[in-house]
């Protein structure tokens, strides 16, 4: 497959067109941002880790019946994915209070929920990705009712599979963000990435943070945390 011109550059990835109209190539960068791009930095080796980790987890999810955009890992940082148009919703699933949830409701981090929660943000950098309920998403025609139902049930399935999977390597899946896309025939599939950039991951015994909060909150040893997750997941 031939990598053609760049179509899009996001904060952590670039997307390229290919000679196959149904396939894109994504390339993961070491660039890191937080707080809607106000904080900028580099996490050395992050692109390679996020690429390999996302691909591994997407393959686990496919086996469990969750359709994903993953096609083939091309190199350390590059992956062939199915061409989709991204549904402009960030879908956040939480198992334990942290981050904006803890802030918004004035509660401590670390409260374990009886049931996972789902929330949506409108994927719109100019507006700072505002929180949005499903009626607002419908009103703005960001997705249909059926798509929203599919997205919610897929998000809960992803949570059930990944929570168990991470626990097996001594990690609590606190919360995470997913993005979904529509293929050419309109099927909704899981897209984007699943990595320490987009998940909160805490050590099961010590609650040590093994994710991008180390960068967001200047906790130090950012690279070490990404490498530790990789080591536990892939044995290296
Ligand atoms: P939050 O607590 O800041 O709302 O974040 C919830 C989860 O979503 C957390 O695992 C980090 C992830 N996330 C992203 O992947 N991208 C974002 O832009 C934000 C704000 C959060
Ligand atoms: N990546 C997002 C940004 O730069 C936010 C985050 O992950 O905290 O805005």
């Amino acid at each position: 497959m031939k990598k053609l011109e760049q179509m899009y550059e996001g904060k952590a990835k670039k997307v390229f067109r290919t000679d196959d109209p149904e396939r894109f190539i994504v390339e993961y960068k070491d660039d890191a941002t937080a707080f809607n791009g106000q904080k900028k930095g580099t996490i050395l080796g992050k692109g390679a880790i996020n690429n390999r980790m996302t691909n591994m987890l997407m393959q686990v999810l496919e086996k469990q019946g969750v359709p994903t955009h993953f096609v083939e890992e091309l190199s350390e940082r590059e992956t062939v994915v199915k061409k989709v148009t991204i549904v402009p919703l960030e879908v956040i699933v939480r198992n334990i209070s942290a981050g904006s949830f803890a802030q918004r409701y004035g509660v401590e981090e670390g409260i374990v929920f009886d049931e996972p929660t789902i929330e949506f943000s409108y994927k719109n950098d100019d507006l700072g990705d505002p929180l949005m309920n499903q009626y607002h998403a419908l009103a703005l025609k960001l997705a249909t009712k059926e798509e929203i139902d599919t997205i919610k049930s897929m998000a809960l399935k992803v949570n059930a599979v990944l929570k168990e999977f991470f626990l097996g390597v001594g990690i609590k899946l606190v919360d995470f963000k997913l993005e979904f896309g529509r293929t050419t025939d309109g099927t909704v599939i899981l897209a984007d990435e699943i990595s320490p950039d987009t998940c909160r991951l805490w050590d099961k015994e010590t609650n040590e943070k093994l994710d991008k909060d180390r960068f967001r909150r200047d906790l130090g040893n950012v690279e070490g945390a990404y490498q530790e997750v990789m080591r536990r997941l892939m044995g290296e």
Side-chain angles (χ1 to χ4, degrees):
M1 183 171 304
K2 251 216 201 95
K3 190 174 177 182
L4 301 178
E5 80 275 11
Q6 183 176 306
M7 285 194 43
Y8 171 80
E9 177 160 10
K11 298 193 197 91
K13 294 187 289 295
K14 297 176 181 176
V15 182
F16 295 84
R17 215 188 291 281
T18 70
D19 55 355
D20 180 340
E22 292 303 321
R23 298 286 181 262
F24 287 158
I25 291 175
V26 292
E27 187 184 309
Y28 286 71
K29 308 189 286 184
D30 284 353
D31 298 352
T33 63
F35 315 118
N36 202 20
Q38 288 175 63
K39 182 183 171 100
K40 288 192 172 70
T42 301
I43 302 173
L44 276 181
K46 170 173 90 78
I49 288 175
N50 288 3
N51 181 38
R52 297 182 58 204
M53 181 170 156
T54 295
N55 294 342
M56 197 264 248
L57 295 175
M58 292 229 177
Q59 289 174 85
V60 168
L61 289 165
E62 285 275 358
K63 280 206 191 94
Q64 298 295 322
V66 179
T68 78
H69 73 170
F70 175 76
V71 177
E72 184 193 0
E73 190 167 289
L74 273 188
S75 71
E76 262 206 326
R77 284 168 189 275
E78 295 168 305
T79 293
V80 181
V81 297
K82 293 177 191 154
K83 176 185 149 186
V84 293
T85 44
I86 293 287
V87 177
L89 291 171
E90 301 204 339
V91 182
I92 293 158
V93 181
R94 302 180 191 269
N95 296 302
I96 298 176
S97 67
S100 68
F101 182 97
Q103 262 191 341
R104 178 173 303 114
Y105 300 118
V107 297
E108 75 219 65
E109 297 199 314
I111 302 165
V112 179
F113 303 149
D114 291 340
E115 296 288 335
T117 69
I118 301 186
E119 73 205 41
F120 299 111
S121 292
Y122 182 20
K123 193 173 153 62
N124 184 319
D125 282 339
D126 293 339
L127 298 175
D129 298 340
L131 189 67
M132 172 175 268
N133 73 31
Q134 67 185 77
Y135 301 100
H136 295 176
L138 272 176
L140 293 175
K141 296 195 170 20
L142 304 183
T144 65
K145 204 166 190 322
E146 292 69 34
E147 286 175 335
I148 290 176
D149 287 344
T150 303
I151 285 172
K152 286 196 291 188
S153 76
M154 280 168 66
L156 289 177
K157 173 84 184 188
V158 170
N159 184 50
V161 172
L162 292 188
K163 207 175 133 183
E164 190 70 24
F165 192 77
F166 275 111
L167 215 49
V169 296
I171 291 174
K172 293 184 201 170
L173 179 60
V174 174
D175 57 31
F176 57 93
K177 184 262 301 182
L178 300 175
E179 294 183 24
F180 293 85
R182 296 180 190 99
T183 59
T184 312
D185 70 4
T187 311
V188 171
I189 63 175
L190 182 64
D192 195 51
E193 65 179 279
I194 306 170
S195 72
D197 273 16
T198 61
C199 302
R200 283 197 175 90
L201 304 168
W202 294 357
D203 179 81
K204 180 170 161 268
E205 304 302 330
T206 66
N207 283 337
E208 186 190 355
K209 296 185 195 331
L210 299 172
D211 57 65
K212 195 176 161 191
D213 270 349
R214 301 205 72 84
F215 169 78
R216 295 190 189 97
R217 303 179 186 186
D218 296 320
L219 300 176
N221 195 30
V222 185
E223 278 88 0
Y226 280 70
Q227 284 159 15
E228 176 62 17
V229 175
M230 189 69 179
R231 191 187 64 75
R232 291 195 198 184
L233 285 178
M234 323 262 293
E236 51 187 74

